[in-house]
Coordinates of all heavy atoms in Angstrom, one line a residue:
I2 N -50.4 14.8 5.0 CA -50.1 16.0 5.7 C -50.4 15.8 7.2 O -51.5 15.5 7.6 CB -50.8 17.2 5.2 CG1 -50.4 17.5 3.7 CG2 -50.5 18.4 6.0 CD1 -51.1 18.6 3.1
V3 N -49.4 15.9 8.1 CA -49.6 15.6 9.5 C -49.3 16.8 10.4 O -49.4 16.7 11.6 CB -48.7 14.4 9.9 CG1 -49.1 13.2 9.3 CG2 -47.2 14.7 9.6
G4 N -48.9 17.9 9.8 CA -48.6 19.1 10.6 C -48.4 20.3 9.7 O -48.6 20.3 8.5
S5 N -47.9 21.4 10.4 CA -47.7 22.6 9.6 C -46.3 22.7 9.0 O -46.1 23.4 8.0 CB -47.9 23.9 10.6 OG -47.0 23.8 11.6
G6 N -45.3 22.0 9.6 CA -44.0 22.1 9.0 C -43.2 23.3 9.5 O -43.7 24.2 10.1
Y7 N -41.9 23.3 9.1 CA -41.0 24.3 9.5 C -41.3 25.7 8.8 O -41.4 26.7 9.4 CB -39.6 23.9 9.2 CG -38.6 25.0 9.4 CD1 -38.2 25.3 10.8 CD2 -37.9 25.7 8.4 CE1 -37.3 26.3 11.0 CE2 -37.0 26.7 8.7 CZ -36.7 27.0 10.0 OH -35.8 28.0 10.3
S8 N -41.6 25.6 7.5 CA -41.8 26.9 6.8 C -43.3 27.0 6.4 O -43.6 27.8 5.5 CB -40.9 26.9 5.5 OG -41.3 25.7 4.7
V9 N -44.2 26.4 7.2 CA -45.6 26.5 7.0 C -46.0 26.1 5.5 O -46.9 26.8 5.0 CB -46.1 27.8 7.5 CG1 -47.6 27.8 7.6 CG2 -45.5 28.2 8.8
R10 N -45.3 25.2 5.0 CA -45.7 24.7 3.6 C -45.5 23.2 3.7 O -44.6 22.7 4.4 CB -44.9 25.3 2.5 CG -43.4 25.1 2.6 CD -42.7 25.9 1.6 NE -41.3 25.9 1.9 CZ -40.4 25.1 1.3 NH1 -40.8 24.3 0.3 NH2 -39.1 25.2 1.6
P11 N -46.3 22.5 3.0 CA -46.2 21.0 3.0 C -45.1 20.4 2.3 O -45.1 20.3 1.1 CB -47.6 20.5 2.4 CG -48.0 21.7 1.5 CD -47.4 22.9 2.1
C12 N -43.9 20.2 3.0 CA -42.8 19.6 2.4 C -42.1 18.8 3.5 O -42.4 18.9 4.7 CB -41.8 20.6 1.9 SG -41.1 21.7 3.2
Y13 N -41.3 17.8 3.1 CA -40.6 17.0 4.0 C -39.1 17.5 4.2 O -38.4 17.7 3.2 CB -40.5 15.5 3.6 CG -39.9 14.6 4.6 CD1 -40.6 14.1 5.6 CD2 -38.5 14.4 4.6 CE1 -40.1 13.3 6.6 CE2 -37.9 13.6 5.5 CZ -38.7 13.1 6.5 OH -38.1 12.3 7.5
E14 N -38.7 17.7 5.4 CA -37.3 18.1 5.7 C -36.9 17.4 6.9 O -37.6 17.4 7.9 CB -37.3 19.6 6.0 CG -37.6 20.5 4.8 CD -37.5 22.0 5.1 OE1 -36.4 22.5 5.3 OE2 -38.6 22.6 5.3
D15 N -35.7 16.8 6.9 CA -35.1 16.2 8.1 C -34.3 17.3 8.8 O -33.3 17.8 8.2 CB -34.2 15.1 7.7 CG -34.9 13.8 7.5 OD1 -35.9 13.6 8.2 OD2 -34.5 13.0 6.6
R16 N -34.7 17.8 9.9 CA -34.0 18.8 10.6 C -34.0 18.4 12.1 O -35.0 17.9 12.7 CB -34.8 20.1 10.5 CG -34.9 20.7 9.1 CD -35.7 21.9 9.1 NE -35.1 22.9 10.0 CZ -34.7 24.1 9.5 NH1 -34.8 24.4 8.2 NH2 -34.2 25.0 10.4
T17 N -32.8 18.7 12.7 CA -32.7 18.4 14.2 C -33.4 19.5 15.0 O -33.8 19.2 16.1 CB -31.2 18.2 14.6 OG1 -30.5 19.4 14.2 CG2 -30.7 17.0 13.9
D18 N -33.4 20.7 14.5 CA -34.0 21.8 15.3 C -35.5 21.9 15.2 O -36.2 22.5 16.0 CB -33.4 23.1 14.9 CG -33.6 23.5 13.4 OD1 -33.8 22.5 12.6 OD2 -33.5 24.6 13.1
Y19 N -36.1 21.2 14.2 CA -37.5 21.1 14.0 C -37.9 19.7 13.6 O -38.0 19.4 12.4 CB -38.0 22.2 12.9 CG -39.4 22.5 13.0 CD1 -40.0 23.4 13.9 CD2 -40.4 21.8 12.2 CE1 -41.3 23.7 13.9 CE2 -41.7 22.0 12.3 CZ -42.2 23.0 13.1 OH -43.5 23.2 13.2
P20 N -38.0 18.8 14.5 CA -38.0 17.4 14.2 C -39.3 16.8 13.6 O -39.4 15.7 13.3 CB -37.7 16.7 15.5 CG -38.2 17.7 16.5 CD -38.0 19.0 16.0
F21 N -40.4 17.7 13.5 CA -41.7 17.1 13.0 C -42.0 17.7 11.6 O -42.5 18.8 11.6 CB -42.8 17.5 14.0 CG -42.5 16.9 15.4 CD1 -42.2 17.7 16.5 CD2 -42.5 15.5 15.6 CE1 -41.9 17.2 17.7 CE2 -42.3 15.0 16.8 CZ -42.0 15.8 17.9
P22 N -41.7 17.0 10.6 CA -42.0 17.5 9.2 C -43.5 17.5 9.0 O -44.3 16.9 9.6 CB -41.3 16.6 8.3 CG -41.1 15.3 9.1 CD -41.0 15.7 10.5
A23 N -43.9 18.3 8.0 CA -45.3 18.4 7.6 C -45.9 17.2 6.9 O -47.1 16.9 7.0 CB -45.5 19.7 6.8
L24 N -45.0 16.5 6.2 CA -45.5 15.3 5.5 C -44.8 14.1 6.0 O -43.7 14.1 6.6 CB -45.1 15.5 4.0 CG -45.7 16.6 3.2 CD1 -45.1 16.6 1.8 CD2 -47.2 16.5 3.2
K25 N -45.4 13.0 5.8 CA -44.8 11.7 6.1 C -43.9 11.3 5.0 O -44.0 11.7 3.9 CB -45.9 10.6 6.3 CG -46.7 10.8 7.6 CD -47.5 9.6 7.9 CE -48.2 9.9 9.2 NZ -48.8 8.7 9.8
W26 N -42.9 10.5 5.3 CA -41.9 10.2 4.4 C -42.4 9.3 3.3 O -42.1 9.5 2.1 CB -40.7 9.5 5.1 CG -39.6 9.0 4.2 CD1 -39.2 7.7 4.0 CD2 -38.8 9.8 3.3 NE1 -38.2 7.7 3.1 CE2 -37.9 8.9 2.6 CE3 -38.7 11.2 3.0 CZ2 -37.0 9.3 1.7 CZ3 -37.8 11.6 2.1 CH2 -36.9 10.7 1.4
K27 N -43.1 8.2 3.6 CA -43.6 7.3 2.6 C -45.1 7.4 2.4 O -45.8 7.8 3.3 CB -43.3 5.8 3.1 CG -41.8 5.4 3.0 CD -41.7 4.0 3.3 CE -40.2 3.6 3.3 NZ -40.1 2.2 3.7
A28 N -45.6 7.0 1.3 CA -47.0 7.0 1.0 C -47.6 5.8 1.8 O -47.0 4.9 2.2 CB -47.3 6.9 -0.5
N29 N -48.9 5.9 1.9 CA -49.7 4.8 2.6 C -49.9 3.6 1.7 O -50.9 3.5 1.0 CB -51.0 5.3 3.1 CG -50.9 6.1 4.4 OD1 -49.9 6.0 5.1 ND2 -51.8 7.0 4.6
T30 N -49.0 2.7 1.7 CA -49.1 1.5 1.0 C -49.9 0.5 1.8 O -50.1 0.7 3.0 CB -47.7 0.9 0.6 OG1 -47.0 0.6 1.9 CG2 -46.8 1.8 -0.2

Side-chain angles (χ1 to χ4, degrees):
I2 296 178
V3 292
S5 61
Y7 176 72
S8 59
V9 192
R10 59 186 169 99
C12 66
Y13 183 87
E14 295 179 74
D15 279 326
R16 297 175 60 119
T17 55
D18 59 337
Y19 198 84
F21 302 110
L24 298 176
K25 291 192 178 194
W26 175 243
K27 289 184 181 176
N29 281 336
T30 60

